[in-house]
Amino acid sequence: MAMRTFSLVPFSLILLALACSKTEAPPEAKPEPAAEAKPGLAEPGTKAPSAEPELLLPVGPVVVQLIDAGKPPLQPVRWKLSKGSKDRVRMKSEMTLEAQVGSENSPRTETPTVQHLLSVETMEVSPDGTAQMRLEVSNVTVLEGSSAPAQMLSQLKRSVMSTKGRRGTYEISASGAVRQVKIDKSGVLPRNLQAIDNIEQLVYWTTVPVPSEPIGVGAKWKAKQVTEEGGLRIEQQASYELTKIEGSSFEVKVLVEKTAKPQTVIPPGATENESYELTGFDWKGTGQVQADFSRPVPVSSKIDAVANMNMKTPGPQGVDRELKVMMETSSLLE
């Protein structure tokens, strides 16, 4: 099983790691881990554009566009799930951060590997193929071995452990589109809401969205969607290529690209005073997914990605701090 195969390291976890590191660095170093300036991102001193909410595209469903039908024989592909079927996944996510705050750099920091074990069950299947799903976060582990500061590790563990035992529901259409994800947040402390939000966002990509047209080996298509992760409105495009199909089993190569317009971001559980101004964001990941149309989740997946982000955060004496972050992530599902 695979959960959101191309964005397994959550944006909310990035924000948490950066926030935790603030108390570990001397004031003049301005907390977070360090990264060099990246091409195409705002330079220090550049005023963050003040994007009005109506200028951002609304969050919406996945839109799939067929680019190339591939080689004959072509066949229609649809998810066919069975009531009562169950699946589990072990999901491992790793991340390395580098940051530059103003002219100050912080050491390259590796966050600990976070491992989630999730259980998924198909509760009902309607005549049109839409399946009603139930999930539970069966277990969560923060593995040892990391260069991250002690306080970052402590807060990270508290946050991700708050997801253990959480249950939720969602639905999967016959085309593989995931909708109406709802995870129980009762009793969750505000500082841990980002971790719950991450699980919800992961679920939206438990399947590979497929085109309505018949396809064969070599087929290429794109799936576009506007999502909100950690309070950040993101425009996402996943490009797929079908490399193998045998019966209901198939394999695809995937390239995922994410961008975000300048905007004010208030992460889940944060107050308005804890918001930041995003001035630049790009994310690119590549990998492979093995899946089966009879299972609600992929069999396996591995995605490696690099992201660059520029932001302004409140600093001492009311002076904003320019922050540049580079993130390298690796996600494995088995």
Side-chain angles (χ1 to χ4, degrees):
M1 167 182 174
M3 304 291 287
R4 197 168 188 177
T5 53
F6 38 76
S7 184
L8 293 172
V9 178
F11 183 75
S12 58
L13 182 57
I14 295 168
L15 298 181
L16 173 62
L18 293 176
C20 293
S21 65
K22 290 182 180 181
T23 58
E24 298 296 315
E28 59 274 16
K30 299 300 190 277
E32 300 98 324
E36 297 178 357
K38 299 296 177 181
L41 298 182
E43 293 299 321
T46 302
K47 184 174 180 58
S50 55
E52 296 296 329
E54 61 267 23
L55 297 181
L56 300 176
L57 294 177
V59 172
V62 177
V63 177
V64 179
Q65 177 186 7
L66 179 65
I67 305 301
D68 186 336
K71 302 176 182 178
L74 305 183
Q75 59 181 295
V77 290
R78 281 291 179 270
W79 293 86
K80 297 180 180 179
L81 306 182
S82 301
K83 179 180 178 179
S85 64
K86 299 179 180 180
D87 233 315
R88 301 177 70 183
V89 64
R90 191 177 306 277
M91 176 178 65
K92 293 182 180 179
S93 301
E94 300 176 350
M95 177 170 62
T96 300
L97 301 175
E98 294 185 14
Q100 178 181 332
V101 185
S103 60
E104 299 289 339
N105 292 335
S106 298
R108 182 181 177 90
T109 301
E110 295 181 3
T111 64
T113 299
V114 177
Q115 180 174 278
H116 288 83
L117 181 63
L118 299 102
S119 301
V120 175
E121 181 177 1
T122 304
M123 304 304 295
E124 297 287 345
V125 180
S126 63
D128 68 358
T130 299
Q132 304 299 321
M133 310 297 299
R134 181 170 64 189
L135 70 86
E136 179 179 359
V137 183
S138 304
N139 199 10
V140 184
T141 307
V142 180
L143 304 181
E144 300 297 328
S146 170
S147 63
Q151 181 156 344
M152 179 193 294
L153 294 178
S154 177
Q155 188 167 342
L156 175 60
K157 288 180 179 179
R158 288 197 302 269
S159 179
V160 298
M161 290 305 293
S162 69
T163 65
K164 184 177 179 179
R166 292 287 160 181
R167 296 179 178 180
T169 58
Y170 63 101
E171 67 178 35
I172 303 174
S173 72
S175 65
V178 173
R179 303 180 294 234
Q180 300 180 14
V181 180
K182 298 179 181 178
I183 294 182
D184 177 28
K185 297 183 177 70
S186 60
V188 179
L189 297 175
R191 66 173 177 266
N192 295 330
L193 285 173
Q194 290 185 43
I196 307 297
D197 179 71
N198 166 52
I199 298 298
E200 286 191 344
Q201 295 305 318
L202 292 176
V203 174
Y204 275 105
W205 290 97
T206 51
T207 62
V208 175
V210 293
S212 58
E213 300 89 343
I215 58 175
V217 173
K220 298 178 181 180
W221 67 94
K222 294 183 178 181
K224 299 181 180 180
Q225 186 177 26
V226 177
T227 65
E228 190 165 296
E229 301 179 35
L232 172 62
R233 192 72 57 86
I234 292 176
E235 297 173 34
Q236 175 173 282
Q237 175 175 282
S239 299
Y240 295 97
E241 180 179 352
L242 183 65
T243 57
K244 181 179 180 180
I245 183 167
E246 294 181 354
S248 61
S249 299
F250 68 99
E251 297 180 13
V252 294
K253 293 193 297 185
V254 60
L255 164 65
V256 184
E257 299 170 286
K258 300 183 180 185
T259 59
K261 296 178 180 179
Q263 57 191 279
T264 298
V265 183
I266 303 178
T271 67
E272 187 173 353
N273 292 334
E274 295 173 314
S275 65
Y276 65 89
E277 294 295 326
L278 183 80
T279 58
F281 178 82
D282 65 79
W283 189 104
K284 181 176 289 187
T286 58
Q288 295 181 321
V289 181
Q290 297 179 343
D292 191 301
F293 289 114
S294 66
R295 298 179 60 180
V297 291
V299 176
S300 66
S301 69
K302 188 179 189 304
I303 305 292
D304 296 313
V306 176
N308 294 292
M309 179 170 62
N310 276 23
M311 67 176 81
K312 287 187 177 182
T313 61
Q317 291 80 48
V319 178
D320 287 347
R321 296 175 299 182
E322 298 277 357
L323 172 63
K324 296 183 179 182
V325 180
M326 186 278 287
M327 299 154 281
E328 296 178 353
T329 66
S330 180
S331 303
L332 175 66
L333 293 101
E334 51 193 11

